[in-house]
Amino acid sequence: MSPKRADIESAIEGLKLEGSTPEMRTQARAKMSGRPAKILPKLALGGLPAVVAVALLWPHGPSGMAWGQALKNSVDAPRAHSVSRYRNGKISSEQWTEGNKQAWVLYGPDNEVFMEWRGDGERTLNYMHVQPLLRGPKNPNRRSFGEINRRKPGGESLHIEIGGSLEQLLRKCKYSVLKQTATKLNGEDVTEFHVQVTKPYPQDLIVVVKEKTGLICELRQGVDKFVQKIDYPDSIPPKTFDPYQPSMKNVEVYDRLDQIALIKKRVNAGLGTDKGVTLRLAVLDYTGAIWLVWTGLPVDGQMLHPFTVDGLKLGKPFGPRKLTSSADGKNDIPEFTKDNQRLYGMSREALTKVGSTIDVTIPTPKGAAHFKNVPVLRIGGAEGYSPWHHQSLGVEPFK
């Protein structure tokens, strides 16, 4: 199953403006799960894969057969590779496409990988360097991460549809070809097309087509400003599309289906019972928040009796209403174990380093339930998984 589309740009802004609390960061992360869709306007064509970039420029009206043929040639090319650079010459983005295989890497001004997507048609890696966007108290457990999605048997192929499909782009963009000029580039005959885009954001583009090949080789924003250089290689190394070979180093990468299976297994089996409380799961998400899920003890809507962890300094409790007794069953639908035990729980930001196991105390009317050496599962964003997910994300039912 393909990941749900998300508004990455909105999520980034949300993280910048609302990152002072873990509750706000987890809500912003919910918008970031899955494939990017609306980051394109601010990145402009410097961040577009070649096949998507040319989609913006599909002819509207009498622009000439040469124009239409150049676009068709470029879109139909079996492989494409493009590079964009900052004004200082450093690479800002690099993209590769080959059939349903795609890869895209975005770099920040400091040459650090900011975003990365790699897909081989069966699996995709989604990575975003989120740490610069997280604010609030210093937390040693925060981390950027990569997440791998895999196609299920019989499911549709996983594509990295940056910016949406060709049809979507054509519905949303308006432009016109103002003129075309025959000239030379590096001694080769080329035609420059001056294209004026009016929607979704105005800009002037120079699209350069080689006469010999009939392929787009450069996109420039404005008359003189270089934006993107495109070539069409005979082959691309297979590792370019391998989601298990990301360019960033020392970053945790999680396989989504493996995590879902392990979460289900632990929740349904339980991790121990004390004072009538069965602890089902303990996870540490990318923001540095510990999530505990249990059965047998309701959680009030205000979370007045939060759990504690020996040796750890924790922030205020928070979490979705669906894990509390305030869930209304309509907008906040509770989750249950395989044997129909209702799940309750909450999260607290861990402000000190979390190890592989923790000792947990959960207050109860009978005193307190104690759990020793509880295994901690490290995950990316909790909102992308049951039992924490927001209903609007369309995450698969927990059972």
Side-chain angles (χ1 to χ4, degrees):
M1 179 175 292
S2 298
K4 183 179 177 64
R5 292 186 182 278
D7 186 344
I8 293 289
E9 185 175 345
S10 172
I12 292 173
E13 293 304 314
L15 283 169
K16 289 179 179 177
L17 297 175
E18 304 173 350
S20 60
T21 67
E23 298 96 322
M24 292 176 177
R25 288 196 296 273
T26 56
Q27 289 173 6
R29 175 61 198 171
K31 298 178 183 179
M32 260 189 327
S33 300
R35 287 181 282 181
K38 295 175 67 177
I39 193 172
L40 300 180
K42 288 190 178 181
L43 290 175
L45 290 179
L48 289 168
V51 293
V52 176
V54 296
L56 285 166
L57 312 175
W58 199 265
H60 291 246
S63 54
M65 285 301 296
W67 169 246
Q69 189 62 50
L71 290 168
K72 185 178 187 308
N73 293 344
S74 302
V75 171
D76 292 345
R79 296 167 207 86
H81 167 246
S82 63
V83 176
S84 301
R85 298 180 183 275
Y86 290 105
R87 290 183 179 180
N88 61 9
K90 291 184 178 179
I91 294 178
S92 63
S93 70
E94 189 167 13
Q95 305 97 37
W96 301 261
T97 62
E98 183 175 0
N100 64 356
K101 301 176 183 179
Q102 299 184 53
W104 185 35
V105 182
L106 286 180
Y107 299 89
D110 57 359
N111 209 36
E112 185 175 22
V113 175
F114 180 66
M115 290 183 178
E116 181 167 353
W117 289 270
R118 293 184 188 273
D120 60 7
E122 296 290 329
R123 302 159 298 173
T124 60
L125 166 73
N126 299 325
Y127 167 78
M128 181 175 180
H129 187 48
V130 298
Q131 288 182 337
L133 306 175
L134 296 175
R135 296 180 180 179
K138 186 176 182 180
N139 187 319
N141 301 294
R142 293 177 187 164
R143 61 198 183 278
S144 295
F145 69 96
E147 186 173 79
I148 290 177
N149 292 277
R150 287 183 283 156
R151 184 176 71 171
K152 288 187 173 182
E156 64 178 283
S157 180
L158 291 171
H159 294 269
I160 309 169
E161 295 182 4
I162 301 167
S165 67
L166 176 63
E167 181 182 0
Q168 288 175 322
L169 288 172
L170 290 178
R171 287 202 306 264
K172 294 180 180 180
C173 296
K174 290 185 179 180
Y175 57 89
S176 58
V177 179
L178 301 183
K179 67 176 181 178
Q180 64 185 71
T181 304
T183 184
K184 289 185 178 292
L185 177 67
N186 299 325
E188 292 188 62
D189 292 331
V190 297
T191 298
E192 293 183 352
F193 294 91
H194 183 183
V195 179
Q196 187 174 64
V197 180
T198 56
K199 290 185 179 181
Y201 49 95
Q203 61 176 326
D204 284 328
L205 300 170
I206 300 298
V207 184
V208 184
V209 178
K210 287 187 177 182
E211 290 295 322
K212 183 177 181 180
T213 63
L215 296 168
I216 295 172
C217 63
E218 283 191 10
L219 297 171
R220 305 173 190 151
Q221 189 173 15
V223 177
D224 299 317
K225 182 180 177 182
F226 167 78
V227 175
Q228 191 172 30
K229 200 167 188 176
I230 305 168
D231 63 276
Y232 305 84
D234 293 332
S235 63
I236 299 175
K239 69 178 183 179
T240 303
F241 307 107
D242 187 345
Y244 293 97
Q245 295 195 50
S247 59
M248 69 280 186
K249 305 300 179 185
N250 301 318
V251 171
E252 296 178 7
V253 177
Y254 310 117
D255 188 302
R256 182 176 178 79
L257 290 186
D258 287 348
Q259 284 189 307
I260 289 174
L262 185 53
I263 288 171
K264 287 184 178 180
K265 180 179 180 180
R266 289 189 181 182
V267 169
N268 287 321
L271 300 174
T273 301
D274 187 36
K275 301 294 193 303
V277 180
T278 299
L279 184 61
R280 299 285 178 169
L281 186 67
V283 304
L284 179 70
D285 71 17
Y286 82 104
T287 70
I290 293 177
W291 292 82
L292 295 187
V293 179
W294 60 78
T295 55
L297 177 69
V299 174
D300 63 278
Q302 294 182 315
M303 302 182 185
L304 297 177
H305 307 287
F307 66 83
T308 58
V309 178
D310 292 357
L312 294 184
K313 182 180 179 181
L314 303 176
K316 294 181 180 180
F318 67 95
R321 290 207 314 167
K322 64 185 296 183
L323 291 178
T324 74
S325 57
S326 295
D328 59 16
K330 295 180 181 179
N331 299 315
D332 306 293
I333 303 174
E335 296 272 9
F336 296 84
T337 63
K338 191 174 182 180
D339 58 355
N340 291 318
Q341 300 292 310
R342 181 173 171 179
L343 296 174
Y344 295 95
M346 65 182 72
S347 179
R348 300 185 70 181
E349 186 174 17
L351 301 176
T352 45
K353 189 69 174 177
V354 177
S356 59
T357 63
I358 55 177
D359 295 337
V360 174
T361 298
I362 301 175
T364 75
K366 300 179 181 179
H370 299 281
F371 302 91
K372 300 289 186 180
N373 299 316
V374 177
V376 178
L377 176 64
R378 297 168 72 88
I379 66 172
E383 299 81 2
Y385 296 85
S386 292
W388 313 277
H389 70 82
H390 298 285
Q391 302 296 329
S392 61
L393 287 180
V395 178
E396 293 182 7
F398 177 69
K399 294 181 182 181

